[in-house]
Amino acid sequence: MAETTTTKETEVVGVVGGGQMGSGIAQVAAVSGFDVWLHDTDPAALDRAVRAVSSSIGRFVSKGKLSRAAGSDAMKRLRCTSNLEDLRDADVIIEAIVESEEVKKTLFSKLDKIAKATTILASNTSSISITRLASGTSRPSQVIGMHFMNPPPLMKLIEIVRGADTSDEVFLKIKDLSERMGKIVVCSQDYPGFIVNRILMPMINEAFHTLYTGVATKEDIDTAMKLGTNHPMGPLELADLIGLDVCLNIMKVLYEGFGDSKYSPCPLLVQYVDAGRLGRKRGIGVYSYE
Ligand code: CAA
Ligand code: NAD
């Protein structure tokens, strides 16, 4: 096993994927005092990420939750690149690209070659096996799930997922890093959907079935769950926030992983994704945001 750094030596954080999660994770890391390299293959995604981080930091500053100087320092600590090799000096690299095992595995194998021997490779995957992502690297003991919730700057939880070979030392370092980012940690074994999405996604899928079978309107389904169970958002609104493509990919992982028809994705969810109705990020999902 390669040697790992002590957490106190974790000063440079690499984030791969500058979408809604990657940009939010980069923001949390920069505000927490880390130097951050944010990489995306799509330069337009990096432009959107910088705008999103700047606007979110601006909201914290205007509410007095962050000083103007701290916000400006965080922006200076955030560097964007479309060259993955710029992440070579990162102590921890957090992957937040598309929820596809094949695409993530290819990335992990590239990161394994680029990163220092001591670097920890973390995945923000919502559901995919950390053990299988680790298996394509030469450092399975240094691969771990670090699952932030959406939106990362506001949500307190990080779900840490240990793969079959993740070392105790790496687990403790990621726990400590999460706490340095102001988060509260729970630990899950490496089974499909971990804790949060094992429970949340079947509820969202059931909300789609409730709509699909004409039990109620989308508005009534969301109002029922908001006012009836005190959820901050209804399940269909939340699906639009998460991204319907992400929800569908998670349901597929649950369905394939457990082989149980109760996890079969609702045909309406599948149809919306086929139609490109991916949620807020596309301006249309269950609801329209235009
Ligand atoms: N940056 C900074 N501040 C922000 C912000 C952002 N990106 N978004 C919202 N805010 C601030 C607002 O300014 C506002 O601040 P004040 O309360 O001080 O006025 C506050 O957050 C609330 O914002 P809004 O009024 O716009 O919206 P809201 O009250 O609905 O809160 C929310 C937003 C925190 C997202 C809330 O709706 C919520 O908790 N929703 C549920 C989110 C959730 O369940 N996330 C987990 C999804 S599952 C997951 O992530 C795992 C997975 O793998 C899919
Ligand atoms: P997103 O679609 O908003 O962003 C993904 C980004 O990754 C895009 O900018 C894309 O250009 C980039 N990308 C794709 N392949 C790449 C590659 N090979 N190298 C570099 N960049 C690449 O997706 P998201 O919602 O931010 O989700 C990202 C990850 O986080 C997924 O694994 C998802 O399951 C997980 N996650 C999502 C949520 C959520 O609510 N959306 C919550 C927790 C975890």
Side-chain angles (χ1 to χ4, degrees):
M1 187 193 104
E3 203 185 303
T4 52
T5 56
T6 67
T7 311
K8 291 230 172 347
E9 288 160 8
T10 301
E11 298 308 336
V12 182
V13 173
V15 179
V16 185
Q20 55 176 338
M21 292 307 293
S23 62
I25 294 166
Q27 175 183 335
V28 170
V31 168
S32 307
F34 298 96
D35 285 330
V36 181
W37 273 110
L38 175 63
H39 163 78
D40 200 294
T41 43
D42 177 5
L46 292 174
D47 290 344
R48 284 194 298 275
V50 170
R51 282 199 301 276
V53 172
S54 169
S55 145
S56 176
I57 285 182
R59 288 166 83 173
F60 283 110
V61 170
S62 68
K63 292 205 164 65
K65 292 180 177 165
L66 190 70
S67 73
R68 193 164 297 281
S72 146
D73 285 350
M75 287 307 295
K76 285 183 205 141
R77 281 192 288 269
L78 174 62
R79 285 172 294 177
C80 292
T81 178
S82 46
N83 179 6
L84 190 63
E85 300 211 349
D86 283 334
L87 275 64
R88 72 176 80 80
D89 293 328
D91 303 302
V92 174
I93 299 179
I94 306 169
E95 167 278 316
I97 66 168
V98 60
E99 187 73 349
S100 151
E101 182 174 327
E102 201 189 326
V103 182
K104 284 190 195 289
K105 267 186 133 169
T106 305
L107 175 67
F108 268 74
S109 134
K110 275 191 205 162
L111 288 173
D112 188 36
K113 293 183 182 75
I114 290 169
K116 298 184 289 188
T118 52
T119 301
I120 295 174
L121 303 181
S123 175
N124 184 53
T125 178
S126 297
S127 57
I128 294 168
S129 164
I130 299 302
T131 307
R132 287 206 295 272
L133 296 182
S135 70
T137 74
S138 63
R139 59 180 93 194
S141 63
Q142 289 164 230
V143 177
I144 193 161
M146 189 179 185
H147 184 206
F148 291 74
M149 303 296 131
N150 188 7
L154 296 181
M155 302 295 284
K156 293 300 281 182
L157 186 74
I158 291 182
E159 191 174 30
I160 298 185
V161 185
R162 299 185 62 153
D165 294 317
T166 308
S167 71
D168 290 346
E169 187 193 1
V170 165
F171 166 71
L172 290 172
K173 282 175 180 162
I174 292 301
K175 180 170 181 286
D176 190 50
L177 176 65
S178 304
E179 287 164 357
R180 285 175 74 191
M181 291 180 175
K183 304 299 185 190
I184 291 163
V185 157
V186 293
C187 182
S188 172
Q189 295 299 321
D190 188 21
Y191 293 106
F194 319 128
I195 304 170
V196 170
N197 285 320
R198 172 84 175 259
I199 298 169
L200 175 67
M201 277 307 145
M203 184 192 75
I204 288 178
N205 198 46
E206 203 57 34
F208 275 94
H209 274 296
T210 310
L211 181 63
Y212 178 56
T213 53
V215 172
T217 62
K218 52 184 181 289
E219 291 84 2
D220 279 359
I221 292 168
D222 279 337
T223 302
M225 294 306 288
K226 274 189 284 192
L227 302 186
T229 64
N230 259 2
H231 289 193
M233 300 173 84
L236 299 170
E237 287 178 283
L238 182 56
D240 273 358
L241 172 71
I242 292 168
L244 269 50
D245 52 339
V246 176
C247 295
L248 178 58
N249 284 335
I250 297 169
M251 284 312 296
K252 285 180 179 166
V253 170
L254 292 174
Y255 185 49
E256 283 158 21
F258 294 117
D260 187 328
S261 62
K262 76 178 177 182
Y263 298 113
S264 170
C266 174
L268 185 63
L269 172 61
V270 175
Q271 191 188 55
Y272 279 3
V273 173
D274 286 345
R277 294 173 64 153
L278 303 186
R280 284 195 198 180
K281 63 185 167 188
R282 284 290 168 83
I284 185 160
V286 179
Y287 296 91
S288 174
Y289 301 88
E290 264 128 32

